[in-house]
Amino acid sequence: MYKRILIATDGSPLSDKAAESGLSLAALTGASVVALKVVPRYPRSYFEGGMPVDAGDVKRIEGQWGDAAQAMVDAVKTQGEAQGVTVKAVTAKSDLVAEAVIAAAKKHKCDLIVMASHGRKGLKRLLLGSETQHVLTHSHIPVLVLR
């Protein structure tokens, strides 16, 4: 059925639950997994970041974010390997999360994307948008959304 599944994670409890389900599906179908965490770039302008930060501090902060992201996908990898699933841990640096998820799925030749729905409603959803919704509407491969 599925040969390679991309599991997008952000480290939230709901995302962890979606990763568990994605790994279980991979184990059932014999698929391999690409675990992905998209890391944002540090805001560089005054209005985005609130106050200017030294370039060295920006590099340090982005490094910390990258290390945290790697730890998240490594945790998915460890969990998957315990179930006998081959997992490739990947991080991507982008401010456009949905586009990065879709691009990673294409790059790694995935035939399913698994991700969590954050369940925002009303004004919060309208103002914050939904990366999951964007992936759903722009992906050319199936997307499994878990709550």
Side-chain angles (χ1 to χ4, degrees), residues 5 7 23 26 31-36 73-82 84-90:
I5 300 171
I7 299 176
L23 290 169
S32 64
V33 167
V34 175
L36 173 70
V73 292
D74 286 345
V76 174
K77 181 176 182 173
T78 300
Q79 186 179 4
E81 289 176 346
V85 176
T86 302
V87 180
K88 181 175 183 176
V90 176

Side-chain angles (χ1 to χ4, degrees), residues 52-106:
V53 177
D54 179 73
D57 288 338
V58 168
K59 187 172 182 170
R60 180 182 52 78
I61 291 167
E62 286 183 336
Q64 289 172 342
W65 290 351
D67 293 344
Q70 190 63 51
M72 284 178 210
V73 292
D74 286 345
V76 174
K77 181 176 182 173
T78 300
Q79 186 179 4
E81 289 176 346
Q83 296 180 39
V85 176
T86 302
V87 180
K88 181 175 183 176
V90 176
T91 62
K93 194 179 253 190
S94 178
D95 291 326
L96 305 172
V97 175
E99 284 85 353
V101 169
I102 293 167
K106 185 176 182 178

Side-chain angles (χ1 to χ4, degrees), residues 36-51:
L36 173 70
K37 166 66 172 121
V38 179
V39 183
R41 296 185 196 313
Y42 190 86
R44 305 246 180 214
S45 77
Y46 175 79
F47 293 108
E48 289 174 343
M51 62 186 235

